[in-house]
Amino acid sequence: MADDAKPVPLVLKCIVCGSISTLKRCSRCKRVVYCSREHQLKDWPNHKPSCCISKSEIGGKRDETSSSANSVYQQSHGGANGITTNGTLKAVCDDQRGMNKNETSIARDERGKCLVEITRSEILDQPNTHTDLETDKETDKVLNDKTNYNQLRTDQKDDSSTEYTAFDERPFIERNFDKPKSKNKRNIAKFVVDSLKNNNFCVLDSLFEDDHVERILAEIKSLDAKSQLKTGKLAGGRTSDDNNEKVLKSEIRSDRMAWVDRNQQDIPEIGRAVERLDSILTDLNPLLEGQDCFINSRTKVMVTCYPGEGTCYRRHVDNPTRDGRRITCILYLNRDWNVQTDGGLLKIFPKGSDDHVDIPPLFNRLLLFWSDSRNPHEVQPAYRTRYAMTVWYFDEMERNKAKEEKCHLESMRIRGNIALMEKDRIQQEIDSQAEKAVGSLSKQELEALAALTRDHPNPRDVLSEMGIADCIQDVLIKALEKV
């Protein structure tokens, strides 16, 4: 089983020819990649209407954040040896203002649009799926310079008067979801973006061939038969992947799950499906104008099984703390599903509305939605085995910022530990010197001091009047008690 903490970069492709070699990005909008300057010029008439400077670039922050995050993140993990010296700690905390070594300006045409070389060596954390939403109230806090991750988590818990949110009991409402005009890749990308912009979610039925989906289901069942699916945990840490902060709460989440790599030899059909999802999500970038979003990487694949018997996942938001996950993609794998008898309904509760959207987990149904607080959702109790596979796609800027903040929190923790260690060391040195000082007193001197303090209500006052330091008094009093 693949380690769920390993990174999975997204494969970007030239929008003209589909090549994945020597890619270059339009740095004006940062949403489209090309394999050459010639292909960028060729595509300019098509790309020009949607090419605009991103909001973050106008603010002068996106490039600075993106260029520094990877090196800061790697330093915060200290390579093979971890953070063990003051020099390494300084490297973690120092500002990283230089251009990312993975992005090199190589050309500029007459329109002033710089092409930036893209490489795929960036390291990303693996989030541990969702974070529970413990209150009916929407949490709409954004991390900034004055709000840290720990405070956000504390605020969420303090707002809750119950352990979890009760399931929505409103009756199932069947909807006829819109369909794309064709399965052409660009047409699907436009349909997805339009649906996300208008509805905050998108449903695509029968995107894959049915026999392909059957083989995906067989692979997941095989993993489950080998006991590779484990009880799901709630996310932990600033980037949602800190093992020490992951928690098991079966009353909130009771599915079984496993993280898998699409390149694993025992799941080729899952790998094929993810490759297609990567291709579709890459094509979203030129169309995400106004969303201040650039999809450049993703998680590994999470395969899940709700084994019936009322297993569920109560209301939650996938990414309430801005860990970088921008779009959630779920492929359902359940033949002949009837929510009236089988349960397992996914309910989305759109932000700012009392309405709800009911989405049955039907076979060969792909669901995409914004991973943030716009889409609180729940998986209602399932009374029949329910399978799915999920992938989260990262926004470049938000993910890099989350990693930087994780690095900052880690450096603060290390500084605090060092300060405590230094305090302990100094206290031990003081205690040692005090014991030496008291040990140097003769028996007669100790008896004289004992006579002076024996009948006094507060022996420390006597010792202080004699000019004996506070740090010695504790050791001295213990010695006088033995006289």
Side-chain angles (χ1 to χ4, degrees), residues 399-457:
R399 186 60 174 170
N400 287 341
K401 184 175 181 180
K403 291 190 293 186
E404 286 186 332
E405 290 180 355
K406 177 182 179 179
C407 169
H408 177 65
L409 291 171
E410 180 69 8
S411 68
M412 290 177 62
R413 184 187 68 80
I414 293 171
R415 287 181 183 275
N417 289 342
I418 291 174
L420 289 174
M421 291 170 60
E422 183 66 11
K423 181 180 179 181
D424 290 343
R425 186 193 65 79
I426 293 173
Q427 186 61 50
Q428 290 174 4
E429 182 67 22
I430 290 173
D431 292 344
S432 176
Q433 294 298 324
E435 289 176 358
K436 287 181 180 180
V438 173
S440 67
L441 297 176
S442 66
K443 181 179 180 181
Q444 290 77 12
E445 289 172 325
L446 289 173
E447 290 175 346
L449 287 172
L452 290 172
T453 60
R454 185 173 295 119
D455 297 326
H456 199 281

Side-chain angles (χ1 to χ4, degrees), residues 22 25 56 63 105 140 180 245 292 343 357 447:
T22 63
R25 179 189 301 167
S56 53
D63 289 340
S105 177
D140 191 22
E245 295 197 40
D292 198 21
V357 180
E447 290 175 346

Side-chain angles (χ1 to χ4, degrees), residues 169-382:
E169 295 182 352
R170 287 173 288 183
F172 167 60
I173 300 177
E174 187 169 1
R175 295 174 183 252
N176 294 318
F177 298 107
D178 293 336
K179 299 180 179 179
K181 295 179 180 179
S182 74
K183 291 187 179 180
N184 173 275
K185 194 164 66 120
R186 288 200 175 189
N187 188 61
I188 289 177
K190 185 178 186 306
F191 177 79
V192 170
V193 170
D194 289 345
S195 298
L196 289 174
K197 287 182 177 179
N198 296 329
N199 306 319
N200 291 334
F201 71 92
C202 175
V203 173
L204 285 170
D205 287 323
S206 301
L207 178 66
F208 300 93
E209 297 297 328
D210 281 0
D211 60 344
H212 182 193
V213 179
E214 288 283 10
R215 292 193 296 272
I216 292 173
L217 177 59
E219 289 178 351
I220 296 177
K221 287 182 176 180
S222 177
L223 294 174
D224 198 16
K226 298 174 185 176
S227 299
Q228 295 188 14
L229 273 62
K230 308 297 181 182
T231 303
K233 294 182 179 181
L234 305 182
R238 178 63 187 92
T239 51
S240 300
D241 71 329
D242 289 353
N243 289 326
N244 292 334
E245 295 197 40
K246 294 176 184 178
V247 291
L248 186 65
K249 290 188 176 182
S250 59
E251 70 275 18
I252 294 176
R253 178 184 185 182
S254 51
D255 63 331
R256 296 199 305 267
M257 54 78 65
W259 290 104
V260 297
D261 190 317
R262 77 176 184 89
N263 294 318
Q264 287 178 218
Q265 293 184 355
D266 57 344
I267 53 167
E269 301 303 330
I270 292 176
R272 283 182 53 213
V274 174
E275 184 176 1
R276 184 165 188 193
L277 291 179
D278 287 352
S279 178
I280 293 173
L281 269 292
T282 301
D283 286 345
L284 301 189
N285 282 324
L287 306 173
L288 286 171
E289 182 179 357
Q291 300 298 317
D292 198 21
C293 173
F294 184 81
I295 303 298
N296 77 327
S297 54
R298 59 167 170 77
T299 66
K300 290 185 180 180
V301 185
M302 185 185 75
V303 296
T304 57
C305 169
Y306 290 81
E309 300 179 351
T311 47
C312 62
Y313 199 151
R314 293 184 182 271
R315 192 180 306 191
H316 61 276
V317 171
D318 286 3
N319 175 22
T321 57
R322 300 181 65 84
D323 63 25
R325 287 176 290 173
R326 182 56 63 92
I327 297 176
T328 302
C329 297
I330 307 175
L331 177 62
Y332 293 114
L333 310 167
N334 310 292
R335 282 278 191 190
D336 305 318
W337 193 268
N338 183 341
V339 296
Q340 303 290 0
T341 57
D342 301 330
L345 178 68
L346 181 87
K347 277 183 177 277
I348 296 178
F349 307 94
K351 180 178 180 179
S353 170
D354 292 330
D355 197 6
H356 64 99
V357 180
D358 294 337
I359 303 178
L362 305 183
F363 182 81
N364 202 359
R365 166 167 284 178
L366 180 66
L367 170 65
L368 304 93
F369 57 88
W370 301 119
S371 305
D372 56 27
S373 61
R374 285 172 282 189
N375 286 308
H377 55 284
E378 67 186 22
V379 178
Q380 298 198 330

